[in-house]
Amino acid sequence: MKTFTRDIHRRAFLRAAIFLSAAIIASIACNLPQFPTPTPTPAPATIPAGWVCYTNATYGFEVCYPPDATISSSTPEHARISFPVAPGTNLAEKWMDVDAASGPATCVSPQAAGYAPGTTNDTHRTIAGLDFLVQSGSQGAAGNFYDWTGYSTQRANICMSLSGVVHMTDALNYPTPPPTVDPAAEGVVFDQIAATFRWLDITPTPTPTAATTATIPAGWLCYTNTTYAFEVCYPSDATLTGETSSHVRIHLTITAGTNLLEKWMDVDRSNVPPACQSPQAAGYDPSAIESAPRTIAGLDFLVQKAHEGAAGNLYEWIGFSTQRADVCASLTGVLHSGQPGNYSTPPPLFDEATESAVFDQIAATFRWLEAGTPTPTAAGGDAPIATFQENTYCLRGPSKDYEVVTYIKQGVSLIIEGRNADGTWFWVRPPRSDLHCWV
């Protein structure tokens, strides 16, 4: 009996101790400082292995893309990511535009322009911790179909949009309809790219000093317009035709075996006013042309880009226009291709990014010349012929102080078309070219 009583007392004591401990803990807890509930950190952008990234230092963001894609038409406000397309289906091309704007009325994809309200599929999604307006739509014209998805996000007054486009042709346009692609499957990469987007910390970014001299690749030839004092260079396997004081055409080589038929760059001179722009832009609705300023080799250019089709042919062009005083110089590169449906066996589609890269390279060689460039005097009497006894440099002017334009191989014979005032230098035209230089 004593044991039982002692056990009851022990249990009562333990219960009292537990209640007292709980009261003490509760009292301490009530007097502890209160901390806010932790906010989850946004998930960082996910970049697949091997991808490369495009950084826009002007608007402070970065987005990444597959290594087999290429960037073109890059300005602070716009860049295009072009994807390779495997031949054999009705998929014509696929790309994603990267657009940035300051202070737009609404932050939406440029692809949505012209659509009536409610005709695009709009939804809000959180991607890698950022709020995006995701829009999609489709349109068709002349046997072509375009499915697009836009991802738009905003920081302060900056709107950034990623707009992926899948361009397909009507399979019924082909003698033997090819397999059709699944737009949803082709658009998976658009979601993956959107997931790599991130805003960068806004810190002053050093602005590189623009190059003030044209960059001329080794072995290239140069065309000099002495009337309007400018020069532009081109690959040695290209040829010039139709030269006047205001125009010349550079015919460029192409990769055989695709639907690309020809490629050229026109060099044109015009007076200002009117506006300094590519002659190729004449007749276009301005909204149909991509236009953006760009600094190339220290010069300000207006870069324009558009395309048009006619009778089974497609013409894609890019123009580079720059101005000095009242003279406008324009370099306009054109890619002329045939519609694959025109062929009994459709050839592979040409790689636009690869074929058009030379246009940017040519534009980077352009330079204005100083006034007073020496003008040759016509050779008197019957034009004499010079046969070169050794490889000889051909210079931009009648002095060793001038730059080398090209060289003339030993054994070549050329007509001497002019000379300098004292007859010590001769003006000739190298083989396979309409340009002239001094020897």
Side-chain angles (χ1 to χ4, degrees), residues 238-264:
T239 56
L240 303 185
T241 61
E243 182 182 0
T244 69
S245 61
S246 299
H247 171 84
V248 69
R249 174 166 291 183
I250 305 171
H251 292 274
L252 299 158
T253 59
I254 62 175
T255 301
T258 72
N259 69 320
L260 184 61
L261 302 176
E262 56 181 337
K263 177 170 70 175
W264 70 83

mmCIF file of all heavy atoms in Angstrom, residues 238-264:
data_model
loop_
_atom_site.group_PDB
_atom_site.id
_atom_site.type_symbol
_atom_site.label_atom_id
_atom_site.label_comp_id
_atom_site.label_asym_id
_atom_site.label_seq_id
_atom_site.Cartn_x
_atom_site.Cartn_y
_atom_site.Cartn_z
ATOM 1 N N ALA A 238 34.657 36.472 -106.296
ATOM 2 C CA ALA A 238 33.478 37.186 -106.783
ATOM 3 C C ALA A 238 33.848 37.980 -108.035
ATOM 4 O O ALA A 238 35.024 38.194 -108.336
ATOM 5 C CB ALA A 238 32.936 38.113 -105.703
ATOM 6 N N THR A 239 32.842 38.438 -108.772
ATOM 7 C CA THR A 239 33.073 39.244 -109.977
ATOM 8 C C THR A 239 32.179 40.473 -109.956
ATOM 9 O O THR A 239 31.104 40.470 -109.337
ATOM 10 C CB THR A 239 32.787 38.428 -111.253
ATOM 11 O OG1 THR A 239 31.447 37.922 -111.197
ATOM 12 C CG2 THR A 239 33.759 37.260 -111.387
ATOM 13 N N LEU A 240 32.624 41.523 -110.634
ATOM 14 C CA LEU A 240 31.870 42.774 -110.712
ATOM 15 C C LEU A 240 31.268 42.932 -112.105
ATOM 16 O O LEU A 240 31.907 42.608 -113.106
ATOM 17 C CB LEU A 240 32.769 43.972 -110.418
ATOM 18 C CG LEU A 240 33.515 43.996 -109.076
ATOM 19 C CD1 LEU A 240 34.251 45.319 -108.919
ATOM 20 C CD2 LEU A 240 32.569 43.777 -107.916
ATOM 21 N N THR A 241 30.041 43.476 -112.150
ATOM 22 C CA THR A 241 29.399 43.773 -113.438
ATOM 23 C C THR A 241 28.619 45.079 -113.319
ATOM 24 O O THR A 241 28.286 45.534 -112.229
ATOM 25 C CB THR A 241 28.416 42.663 -113.866
ATOM 26 O OG1 THR A 241 27.372 42.550 -112.885
ATOM 27 C CG2 THR A 241 29.116 41.327 -114.022
ATOM 28 N N GLY A 242 28.328 45.648 -114.497
ATOM 29 C CA GLY A 242 27.441 46.810 -114.575
ATOM 30 C C GLY A 242 27.960 48.051 -113.897
ATOM 31 O O GLY A 242 27.183 48.837 -113.350
ATOM 32 N N GLU A 243 29.294 48.280 -113.946
ATOM 33 C CA GLU A 243 29.855 49.417 -113.218
ATOM 34 C C GLU A 243 29.526 50.744 -113.884
ATOM 35 O O GLU A 243 29.733 50.938 -115.087
ATOM 36 C CB GLU A 243 31.371 49.281 -113.081
ATOM 37 C CG GLU A 243 32.000 50.424 -112.279
ATOM 38 C CD GLU A 243 33.506 50.312 -112.174
ATOM 39 O OE1 GLU A 243 34.078 49.354 -112.725
ATOM 40 O OE2 GLU A 243 34.110 51.191 -111.542
ATOM 41 N N THR A 244 28.960 51.672 -113.109
ATOM 42 C CA THR A 244 28.819 53.081 -113.469
ATOM 43 C C THR A 244 29.316 53.879 -112.269
ATOM 44 O O THR A 244 29.720 53.304 -111.256
ATOM 45 C CB THR A 244 27.361 53.445 -113.772
ATOM 46 O OG1 THR A 244 26.596 53.389 -112.543
ATOM 47 C CG2 THR A 244 26.738 52.508 -114.803
ATOM 48 N N SER A 245 29.262 55.189 -112.349
ATOM 49 C CA SER A 245 29.709 55.985 -111.204
ATOM 50 C C SER A 245 28.762 55.834 -110.013
ATOM 51 O O SER A 245 29.127 56.150 -108.886
ATOM 52 C CB SER A 245 29.818 57.459 -111.592
ATOM 53 O OG SER A 245 28.546 57.962 -112.000
ATOM 54 N N SER A 246 27.538 55.340 -110.263
ATOM 55 C CA SER A 246 26.542 55.243 -109.190
ATOM 56 C C SER A 246 26.159 53.817 -108.818
ATOM 57 O O SER A 246 25.353 53.613 -107.912
ATOM 58 C CB SER A 246 25.264 55.998 -109.592
ATOM 59 O OG SER A 246 25.533 57.359 -109.802
ATOM 60 N N HIS A 247 26.716 52.821 -109.528
ATOM 61 C CA HIS A 247 26.263 51.453 -109.264
ATOM 62 C C HIS A 247 27.308 50.435 -109.722
ATOM 63 O O HIS A 247 27.981 50.626 -110.737
ATOM 64 C CB HIS A 247 24.946 51.181 -109.998
ATOM 65 C CG HIS A 247 24.517 49.741 -109.957
ATOM 66 N ND1 HIS A 247 23.829 49.198 -108.898
ATOM 67 C CD2 HIS A 247 24.687 48.735 -110.853
ATOM 68 C CE1 HIS A 247 23.592 47.921 -109.149
ATOM 69 N NE2 HIS A 247 24.109 47.608 -110.315
ATOM 70 N N VAL A 248 27.411 49.352 -108.974
ATOM 71 C CA VAL A 248 28.156 48.171 -109.418
ATOM 72 C C VAL A 248 27.550 46.972 -108.693
ATOM 73 O O VAL A 248 27.026 47.106 -107.574
ATOM 74 C CB VAL A 248 29.668 48.292 -109.130
ATOM 75 C CG1 VAL A 248 29.966 48.224 -107.634
ATOM 76 C CG2 VAL A 248 30.451 47.220 -109.874
ATOM 77 N N ARG A 249 27.555 45.813 -109.330
ATOM 78 C CA ARG A 249 27.030 44.603 -108.710
ATOM 79 C C ARG A 249 28.177 43.620 -108.475
ATOM 80 O O ARG A 249 28.968 43.331 -109.383
ATOM 81 C CB ARG A 249 25.943 43.947 -109.566
ATOM 82 C CG ARG A 249 25.456 42.602 -109.026
ATOM 83 C CD ARG A 249 24.173 42.144 -109.686
ATOM 84 N NE ARG A 249 23.054 42.988 -109.290
ATOM 85 C CZ ARG A 249 21.786 42.787 -109.674
ATOM 86 N NH1 ARG A 249 21.500 41.768 -110.478
ATOM 87 N NH2 ARG A 249 20.830 43.594 -109.268
ATOM 88 N N ILE A 250 28.241 43.090 -107.245
ATOM 89 C CA ILE A 250 29.226 42.075 -106.876
ATOM 90 C C ILE A 250 28.520 40.718 -106.896
ATOM 91 O O ILE A 250 27.635 40.464 -106.073
ATOM 92 C CB ILE A 250 29.812 42.344 -105.473
ATOM 93 C CG1 ILE A 250 30.389 43.752 -105.373
ATOM 94 C CG2 ILE A 250 30.856 41.295 -105.121
ATOM 95 C CD1 ILE A 250 30.786 44.157 -103.962
ATOM 96 N N HIS A 251 28.883 39.857 -107.849
ATOM 97 C CA HIS A 251 28.313 38.518 -107.925
ATOM 98 C C HIS A 251 29.137 37.588 -107.038
ATOM 99 O O HIS A 251 30.352 37.460 -107.228
ATOM 100 C CB HIS A 251 28.321 38.012 -109.364
ATOM 101 C CG HIS A 251 27.392 38.758 -110.262
ATOM 102 N ND1 HIS A 251 26.064 38.437 -110.401
ATOM 103 C CD2 HIS A 251 27.601 39.835 -111.064
ATOM 104 C CE1 HIS A 251 25.491 39.266 -111.259
ATOM 105 N NE2 HIS A 251 26.404 40.134 -111.662
ATOM 106 N N LEU A 252 28.487 36.915 -106.112
ATOM 107 C CA LEU A 252 29.166 36.097 -105.116
ATOM 108 C C LEU A 252 28.899 34.609 -105.363
ATOM 109 O O LEU A 252 27.839 34.230 -105.875
ATOM 110 C CB LEU A 252 28.679 36.471 -103.711
ATOM 111 C CG LEU A 252 28.964 37.938 -103.324
ATOM 112 C CD1 LEU A 252 28.016 38.392 -102.224
ATOM 113 C CD2 LEU A 252 30.405 38.106 -102.881
ATOM 114 N N THR A 253 29.852 33.780 -105.008
ATOM 115 C CA THR A 253 29.691 32.331 -105.193
ATOM 116 C C THR A 253 28.727 31.774 -104.149
ATOM 117 O O THR A 253 28.568 32.337 -103.066
ATOM 118 C CB THR A 253 31.041 31.613 -105.086
ATOM 119 O OG1 THR A 253 31.608 31.890 -103.793
ATOM 120 C CG2 THR A 253 31.994 32.078 -106.168
ATOM 121 N N ILE A 254 28.094 30.647 -104.478
ATOM 122 C CA ILE A 254 27.144 30.010 -103.577
ATOM 123 C C ILE A 254 27.500 28.534 -103.420
ATOM 124 O O ILE A 254 28.254 27.978 -104.227
ATOM 125 C CB ILE A 254 25.693 30.135 -104.091
ATOM 126 C CG1 ILE A 254 25.543 29.427 -105.459
ATOM 127 C CG2 ILE A 254 25.278 31.581 -104.190
ATOM 128 C CD1 ILE A 254 24.115 29.398 -105.975
ATOM 129 N N THR A 255 26.949 27.920 -102.393
ATOM 130 C CA THR A 255 27.113 26.478 -102.196
ATOM 131 C C THR A 255 26.168 25.743 -103.141
ATOM 132 O O THR A 255 24.955 25.985 -103.132
ATOM 133 C CB THR A 255 26.798 26.092 -100.735
ATOM 134 O OG1 THR A 255 27.680 26.821 -99.867
ATOM 135 C CG2 THR A 255 26.984 24.606 -100.519
ATOM 136 N N ALA A 256 26.698 24.873 -103.972
ATOM 137 C CA ALA A 256 25.881 24.163 -104.950
ATOM 138 C C ALA A 256 25.047 23.077 -104.291
ATOM 139 O O ALA A 256 25.363 22.606 -103.199
ATOM 140 C CB ALA A 256 26.783 23.548 -106.022
ATOM 141 N N GLY A 257 23.956 22.689 -104.980
ATOM 142 C CA GLY A 257 23.163 21.555 -104.538
ATOM 143 C C GLY A 257 22.003 21.888 -103.628
ATOM 144 O O GLY A 257 21.361 20.984 -103.086
ATOM 145 N N THR A 258 21.711 23.192 -103.421
ATOM 146 C CA THR A 258 20.568 23.586 -102.597
ATOM 147 C C THR A 258 19.586 24.370 -103.465
ATOM 148 O O THR A 258 19.775 24.505 -104.680
ATOM 149 C CB THR A 258 21.013 24.468 -101.414
ATOM 150 O OG1 THR A 258 21.393 25.770 -101.896
ATOM 151 C CG2 THR A 258 22.198 23.844 -100.683
ATOM 152 N N ASN A 259 18.554 24.917 -102.849
ATOM 153 C CA ASN A 259 17.577 25.710 -103.606
ATOM 154 C C ASN A 259 18.020 27.163 -103.789
ATOM 155 O O ASN A 259 17.264 27.971 -104.322
ATOM 156 C CB ASN A 259 16.207 25.673 -102.920
ATOM 157 C CG ASN A 259 16.198 26.427 -101.590
ATOM 158 O OD1 ASN A 259 17.161 26.357 -100.825
ATOM 159 N ND2 ASN A 259 15.119 27.116 -101.300
ATOM 160 N N LEU A 260 19.252 27.514 -103.362
ATOM 161 C CA LEU A 260 19.764 28.864 -103.604
ATOM 162 C C LEU A 260 20.253 28.973 -105.039
ATOM 163 O O LEU A 260 21.087 28.180 -105.489
ATOM 164 C CB LEU A 260 20.910 29.185 -102.636
ATOM 165 C CG LEU A 260 21.473 30.607 -102.719
ATOM 166 C CD1 LEU A 260 20.397 31.641 -102.402
ATOM 167 C CD2 LEU A 260 22.658 30.778 -101.782
ATOM 168 N N LEU A 261 19.712 29.951 -105.779
ATOM 169 C CA LEU A 261 20.021 30.091 -107.199
ATOM 170 C C LEU A 261 21.152 31.072 -107.465
ATOM 171 O O LEU A 261 21.983 30.846 -108.345
ATOM 172 C CB LEU A 261 18.760 30.542 -107.954
ATOM 173 C CG LEU A 261 17.543 29.607 -107.825
ATOM 174 C CD1 LEU A 261 16.343 30.199 -108.534
ATOM 175 C CD2 LEU A 261 17.875 28.227 -108.370
ATOM 176 N N GLU A 262 21.170 32.177 -106.754
ATOM 177 C CA GLU A 262 22.228 33.175 -106.963
ATOM 178 C C GLU A 262 22.306 34.090 -105.758
ATOM 179 O O GLU A 262 21.387 34.168 -104.941
ATOM 180 C CB GLU A 262 21.980 33.985 -108.243
ATOM 181 C CG GLU A 262 20.628 34.672 -108.292
ATOM 182 C CD GLU A 262 20.397 35.444 -109.583
ATOM 183 O OE1 GLU A 262 21.387 35.827 -110.243
ATOM 184 O OE2 GLU A 262 19.222 35.675 -109.924
ATOM 185 N N LYS A 263 23.425 34.801 -105.683
ATOM 186 C CA LYS A 263 23.683 35.705 -104.555
ATOM 187 C C LYS A 263 24.507 36.873 -105.054
ATOM 188 O O LYS A 263 25.482 36.669 -105.777
ATOM 189 C CB LYS A 263 24.422 34.929 -103.453
ATOM 190 C CG LYS A 263 24.813 35.762 -102.234
ATOM 191 C CD LYS A 263 25.304 34.882 -101.100
ATOM 192 C CE LYS A 263 26.643 34.237 -101.374
ATOM 193 N NZ LYS A 263 27.163 33.482 -100.219
ATOM 194 N N TRP A 264 24.111 38.075 -104.690
ATOM 195 C CA TRP A 264 24.886 39.237 -105.115
ATOM 196 C C TRP A 264 24.753 40.363 -104.097
ATOM 197 O O TRP A 264 23.917 40.322 -103.203
ATOM 198 C CB TRP A 264 24.431 39.715 -106.491
ATOM 199 C CG TRP A 264 23.061 40.347 -106.548
ATOM 200 C CD1 TRP A 264 22.737 41.647 -106.261
ATOM 201 C CD2 TRP A 264 21.830 39.719 -106.916
ATOM 202 N NE1 TRP A 264 21.395 41.858 -106.421
ATOM 203 C CE2 TRP A 264 20.811 40.700 -106.841
ATOM 204 C CE3 TRP A 264 21.482 38.430 -107.315
ATOM 205 C CZ2 TRP A 264 19.474 40.428 -107.129
ATOM 206 C CZ3 TRP A 264 20.155 38.160 -107.614
ATOM 207 C CH2 TRP A 264 19.173 39.137 -107.523
#
